[in-house]
């Protein structure tokens, strides 16, 4: 079971990164002439946060920290909620989704704080 620890963070990070590249390219090439400046800014913010957290998830998986599943799930879910609501609003979704966006941001923040806490509490293993 211990060898399976990095699988979820690596998988989630890889999928989010692939989608981030695709959505970033779509925004830059397919939406630039269709969206106003505010909507393009939401799209770019979503892509940026999605990519940073994708890289973070891959790093978390590669670090092989014990008990990393909970923070990885928090980071992945937070990223999907945060970026997803911004993508939806940029494409004309209801503006009330902006009230849901901070839930995703809060999950991302809490996920990183759980990682930090677990790193501090972990028994050193040669690093």
């Amino acid at each position: 079971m211990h060898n399976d620890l990095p699988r979820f963070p690596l998988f989630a990070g890889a999928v989010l990164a692939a989608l981030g590249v695709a959505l970033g390219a779509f925004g830059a090439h397919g939406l630039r002439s269709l969206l106003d400046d505010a909507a393009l800014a939401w799209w770019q913010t979503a892509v940026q946060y999605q990519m940073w957290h994708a890289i973070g998830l891959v790093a978390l998986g590669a670090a092989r920290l014990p008990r990393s599943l909970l923070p990885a799930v928090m980071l992945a879910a937070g990223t999907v909620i945060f970026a997803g609501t911004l993508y939806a609003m940029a494409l004309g979704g209801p503006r009330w989704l902006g009230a849901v966006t901070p839930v995703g941001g809060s999950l991302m923040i809490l996920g990183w704080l759980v990682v930090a806490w677990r790193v501090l509490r972990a028994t050193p293993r040669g690093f």
Side-chain angles (χ1 to χ4, degrees):
M1 180 70 175
H2 179 68
N3 289 337
D4 290 338
L5 281 177
R7 294 186 84 186
F8 177 77
L10 289 170
F11 173 79
V15 170
L16 286 171
L19 289 172
V21 171
L23 291 168
F26 179 64
H29 301 292
L31 298 176
R32 179 133 343 255
S33 62
L34 300 175
L35 301 181
D36 64 22
D37 289 341
L40 282 173
W42 290 335
W43 193 274
Q44 290 170 346
T45 298
V47 169
Q48 182 180 23
Y49 275 77
Q50 181 173 335
M51 290 303 293
W52 281 115
H53 284 82
I55 293 166
L57 281 162
V58 170
L60 182 60
R64 303 177 68 93
L65 295 173
R67 299 177 55 214
S68 63
L69 182 60
L70 174 63
V73 169
M74 294 170 78
L75 292 168
T79 302
V80 168
I81 293 167
F82 181 88
T85 56
L86 291 177
Y87 291 134
M89 288 192 325
L91 294 174
R95 295 291 293 263
W96 61 260
L97 288 171
V100 178
T101 305
V103 173
S106 296
L107 277 171
M108 291 186 290
I109 292 166
L110 289 171
W112 288 119
L113 289 173
V114 171
V115 170
W117 177 253
R118 294 207 171 148
V119 168
L120 285 176
R121 303 279 299 163
T123 304
R125 295 182 311 173
F127 56 83

